[in-house]
Amino acid sequence: MDAKVEQILLQVKDKLGLGDDLLLCEVKSTGERIVLKENDLGITTSIGINSQLFVTPKEHLDALTPLPEQTCLSDGTFSTIEMFSSREMAYHMSLYDWELFTCVQEYELIYQVFGRYKFGKITCNLDLFLRRFNEIQFWIVTEMVLTSNLSKRVSLLRKFIKLAAHCKENRNLNCFFAIVMGLSNIAVSRLSLTWEKLPSKFKKMFADFETLMDPSRNHRVYRLSVAKMAPPIIPFMPLLMKDMTFTHEGNKTYFDGLVNFEKMHMIAQTLKTVRFCRSTPLDLEAPGTLKSADTSDYIRNIKVIDNQRLLTQLSHKLEPRRT
Amino acid sequence: MAASGRAVRSNSKTTGMNVDADIWKTKDKAPTKDRSVRLRVNPEQSNDYRVVVFGAGGVGKSSLVLRFVRGTFRDSYIPTIEDTYRQVISCNKQVCTLQITDTTGSHQFPAMQRLSISKGHAFILVYSITSRQSLEELKPIFEEIAEIKGTDIEGIPIMLVGNKCDEVNREVGTSEGAAIAKRWNCAHLETSAKTNYNVKELFQELLQLEKRRTMSLQLETKKTRSQKRKEKLRGKCSIM
Ligand SMILES: Nc1nc2c(ncn2[C@@H]2O[C@H](COP(=O)(O)OP(=O)(O)O)[C@@H](O)[C@H]2O)c(=O)[nH]1
Ligand SMILES: [Mg+2]
């Protein structure tokens, strides 16, 4: 798990005798290939959701294509989701996200932003938590475009909006944003027949959610509102990561041979936010129904399509472009 | 001393601010007045004009933006935390804020990248003339913009920019960049943030491509500040 890419390559070379010019390559479900750097480490958790790792001789790099199981999800789980209440799902999702969030060590954020290889440290807990954001987002889109019946799709859309509302109530902002971003994904937002049939109460709810997502002035709306919340909070991680990235890239670590304390202070501020968010334990009221174990099981084993082009294609099949 | 003062300020921006409307709790009594205003002022016509900058790490996005906004090439130390730089410009003869958003790191979260695209009014796609790879990496981004903007894309200003044209070890020829720009139906320019070559021109051309409103980097300088403010207010009132 904490092996460096070059170590993995050495191992493979010894065992398989594949020659000298080996590369470790991430192949995404889209077919995109990313050659991993030799000095990177802890890569198994940081690759894309449906990505696979391949070792290949340099000259055969072009021959790498995604495996069938990376791309072949064809059935949605509408009938399963239908059985669960949105409150129950939100509850179990928040428990799971809280687990992932509290496992993250503060330093992992620093390793991630400054570069793992510089510290020789891995960021697996953080990777898993960040990946969860993408997973939920794609899950929403996947389920929407794999539900071919219009009225079922409308009811699924309602359910997801309710789910977002419950996540917000639980102060699970990471999940809340993942859901809202999933629903604003072009593959979903373009389904106008579905949106038309949505009761106006839900339309309004969703419009309010979207305002919170407005990135203007560096996500001012979100920042102002979260500033007034009390812990426990599961924060919107992509934004925290972005703040750290910009603090790091925009400011030198050393200045005239001296440590730049102002930068260190800014980094510490972000870490303090993380600390503040989890300074009290999560204490949610359990919805207490019979399906609890099933729900928990389901939301921990979500399957998604993470290929945007495919998602958009499926969406066009459901509701062809109107002329 | 000055340093710690600044840091505290940037902190207060994110945590200590007073807000009058609590967005999280007022979901039922959402200010209807506000909504109606928002509806009437077409968001496309609001006072923010959002320019989104894409490009691989190291091509010079930050340098270009800093050169344009602050007139410097990373020599002096200015602390930043924000991804957005603001510049006041004129739009339809009114004062308008040009928001330039840097998308560094967003590839990790496809949803965030798509959000920037869907909220962006204009795009700058930067590669470095010293790296063919950096040009390659813009292709999926352009495709994503094309997909999200759909048929609207024709009216959207997009500049393909080859930065670091002061460098001698060139990998991408000027004509190559231009050819791709032609294929994408967008404008092309080579710049150097280092020598300040074509940087202002880049933003000027970008704004000129905006046909839905008249944009310019120049504020009408003859008017005094208070006159301008009055005009801005009047502009707002007439909209309401
Ligand atoms: N020669 C040259 N170097 C540049 C130019 N623009 C940026 N750089 C350098 O390229 C590196 C990366 O620049 P930066 O703005 O941080 O790139 P970003 O990652 O895209 O934001 C820095 O070392 C800059 O000094 C340019 O126009 N010419
Ligand atoms: Mg930068």
Side-chain angles (χ1 to χ4, degrees):
Chain A
M1 191 148 202
D2 60 352
K4 279 196 176 184
V5 170
E6 53 190 358
Q7 290 166 334
I8 298 176
L9 288 175
L10 265 177
Q11 288 259 334
V12 173
K13 204 175 88 179
D14 282 355
K15 289 220 169 87
L16 301 177
L18 276 175
D20 272 335
D21 266 351
L22 292 186
L23 296 173
L24 187 61
C25 181
E26 166 186 359
V27 177
K28 299 193 173 195
S29 62
T30 52
E32 192 186 335
R33 292 180 278 258
I34 300 169
V35 176
L36 299 169
K37 294 199 180 72
E38 296 229 318
N39 61 2
D40 205 355
L41 68 165
I43 32 105
T44 45
T45 46
S46 58
I47 57 172
I49 300 171
N50 291 339
S51 289
Q52 289 275 353
L53 288 169
F54 291 90
V55 173
T56 172
K58 209 176 251 166
E59 63 270 23
H60 292 163
L61 185 63
D62 291 342
L64 290 181
T65 48
L67 302 172
E69 65 256 35
Q70 283 179 259
T71 49
C72 73
L73 188 65
S74 55
D75 295 314
T77 55
F78 176 79
S79 50
T80 314
I81 298 177
E82 197 183 28
M83 292 191 314
F84 306 140
S85 83
S86 52
R87 194 164 148 234
E88 195 166 22
M89 277 204 284
Y91 171 75
H92 288 288
M93 288 173 102
S94 301
L95 287 191
Y96 185 44
D97 289 346
W98 183 253
E99 235 174 78
L100 293 173
F101 177 44
T102 47
C103 278
V104 176
Q105 207 203 353
E106 285 160 14
Y107 292 141
E108 288 183 61
L109 279 87
I110 295 182
Y111 303 148
Q112 166 86 11
V113 170
F114 283 66
R116 285 188 287 248
Y117 64 94
K118 283 191 192 145
F119 300 85
K121 301 277 192 186
I122 58 173
T123 57
C124 292
N125 300 306
L126 179 61
D127 293 339
L128 292 180
F129 186 40
L130 296 181
R131 180 197 285 207
R132 181 70 176 170
F133 178 87
N134 290 336
E135 188 176 53
I136 300 279
Q137 191 260 139
F138 281 122
W139 170 61
I140 298 285
V141 187
T142 303
E143 293 298 337
M144 286 300 295
V145 300
L146 288 181
T147 304
S148 49
N149 177 293
L150 178 58
S151 59
K152 283 184 180 172
R153 208 156 59 234
V154 176
S155 102
L156 189 63
L157 181 55
R158 278 169 64 151
K159 185 140 218 168
F160 282 153
I161 294 174
K162 278 197 278 184
L163 184 63
H166 285 300
C167 285
K168 201 180 87 171
E169 258 163 44
N170 294 346
R171 276 168 284 173
N172 184 354
L173 306 180
N174 198 52
C175 192
F176 167 76
F177 275 96
I179 297 169
V180 177
M181 286 191 175
L183 293 176
S184 2
N185 185 294
I186 182 84
V188 179
S189 64
R190 63 167 295 284
L191 297 172
S192 42
L193 295 177
T194 313
W195 287 94
E196 270 165 26
K197 289 213 160 53
L198 188 72
S200 57
K201 181 183 139 199
F202 285 93
K203 277 188 201 149
K204 187 182 162 323
M205 229 161 129
F206 186 71
D208 288 348
F209 291 167
E210 274 200 309
T211 339
L212 281 166
M213 214 173 57
D214 181 5
S216 291
R217 318 232 152 186
N218 204 6
H219 291 267
R220 190 161 182 275
V221 189
Y222 166 78
R223 287 178 200 273
L224 291 178
S225 34
V226 82
K228 301 174 82 191
M229 287 186 168
I233 301 169
I234 305 178
F236 175 31
M237 275 316 268
L239 196 59
L240 270 178
M241 296 311 295
K242 194 163 71 105
D243 285 352
M244 292 265 286
T245 305
F246 279 90
T247 306
H248 175 52
E249 296 217 334
N251 305 285
K252 291 178 184 149
T253 304
Y254 298 99
F255 198 62
D256 283 348
L258 300 171
V259 173
N260 180 355
F261 262 72
E262 190 170 354
K263 170 171 178 173
M264 298 305 132
H265 188 82
M266 291 199 289
I267 297 271
Q269 281 302 335
T270 313
L271 294 184
K272 272 189 191 158
T273 311
V274 172
R275 204 175 275 185
F276 172 76
C277 285
R278 50 193 194 186
S279 56
T280 58
L282 185 72
D283 181 23
L284 294 175
E285 192 192 327
T289 54
L290 295 172
K291 300 240 170 51
S292 206
D294 291 347
T295 319
S296 170
D297 203 45
Y298 175 80
I299 61 98
R300 281 163 195 255
N301 294 290
I302 285 171
K303 303 258 182 309
V304 304
I305 299 173
D306 67 347
N307 179 346
Q308 181 65 37
R309 186 168 298 161
L310 182 57
L311 290 166
T312 313
Q313 275 168 11
L314 289 165
S315 162
H316 277 280
K317 250 187 240 163
L318 287 183
E319 295 186 19
R321 193 177 277 128
R322 279 193 254 185
T323 44
Chain B
M1 285 263 265
S4 75
R6 257 194 307 232
V8 170
R9 252 206 325 272
S10 69
N11 171 33
S12 70
K13 205 183 298 166
T14 50
T15 53
M17 220 154 195
N18 265 333
V19 234
D20 17 30
D22 185 352
I23 302 101
W24 296 91
K25 284 171 191 155
T26 53
K27 77 171 175 214
D28 293 324
K29 55 170 181 117
T32 41
K33 193 173 151 215
D34 192 53
R35 284 182 68 78
S36 70
V37 172
R38 217 189 311 142
L39 284 180
R40 253 179 274 162
V41 185
N42 178 352
E44 293 303 309
Q45 295 293 323
S46 87
N47 262 343
D48 282 345
Y49 189 77
R50 282 187 292 273
V51 175
V52 185
V53 185
F54 281 106
V59 296
K61 299 181 293 296
S62 308
S63 305
L64 276 174
V65 174
L66 282 176
R67 171 63 90 178
F68 172 67
V69 176
R70 298 195 177 134
T72 57
F73 184 69
R74 286 209 179 189
D75 36 7
S76 56
Y77 171 68
I78 307 158
T80 53
I81 184 169
E82 292 212 29
D83 65 335
T84 312
Y85 293 91
R86 288 183 265 284
Q87 176 95 336
V88 176
I89 56 163
S90 118
C91 164
N92 292 341
K93 301 236 161 98
Q94 287 182 20
V95 179
C96 156
T97 311
L98 186 66
Q99 280 193 55
I100 308 168
T101 303
D102 187 335
T103 54
T104 298
S106 72
H107 62 273
Q108 203 181 359
F109 305 102
M112 293 286 277
Q113 184 159 312
R114 281 191 289 271
L115 181 66
S116 324
I117 295 176
S118 66
K119 302 284 175 182
H121 296 117
F123 300 89
I124 298 179
L125 308 179
V126 190
Y127 63 94
S128 160
I129 61 137
T130 62
S131 156
R132 178 167 307 276
Q133 175 66 20
S134 70
L135 180 58
E136 291 296 322
E137 284 179 35
L138 288 175
K139 285 180 185 162
I141 306 231
F142 176 78
E143 282 163 18
E144 183 120 61
I145 297 175
E147 174 168 357
I148 290 175
K149 296 299 186 186
T151 49
D152 293 342
I153 197 160
E154 275 164 38
I156 292 173
I158 304 180
M159 295 286 292
L160 179 66
V161 177
N163 190 41
K164 304 200 185 177
C165 71
D166 58 285
E167 289 264 2
V168 281
N169 46 342
R170 182 188 273 274
E171 272 189 20
V172 184
T174 311
S175 57
E176 280 176 88
I180 292 194
K182 198 169 171 201
R183 188 155 15 111
W184 292 351
N185 202 12
C186 68
H188 178 247
L189 210 61
E190 286 194 350
T191 59
S192 165
K194 190 173 178 181
T195 65
N196 198 11
Y197 172 73
N198 262 349
V199 178
K200 196 168 177 197
E201 287 76 2
L202 157 65
F203 286 89
Q204 231 148 17
E205 272 200 38
L206 186 78
L207 294 186
Q208 271 158 20
L209 288 173
E210 179 57 80
K211 299 295 178 220
R212 290 163 296 183
R213 7 179 171 170
T214 319
M215 316 268 291
S216 153
L217 292 179
Q218 259 75 47
L219 290 170
E220 276 124 281
T221 41
K222 270 181 246 154
K223 288 173 195 151
T224 67
R225 247 202 206 148
S226 70
Q227 265 175 323
K228 261 188 273 173
R229 200 173 304 135
K230 256 186 229 156
E231 234 188 48
K232 188 175 158 194
L233 279 177
R234 209 179 300 140
K236 275 191 181 154
C237 292
S238 69
I239 296 169
M240 286 159 110

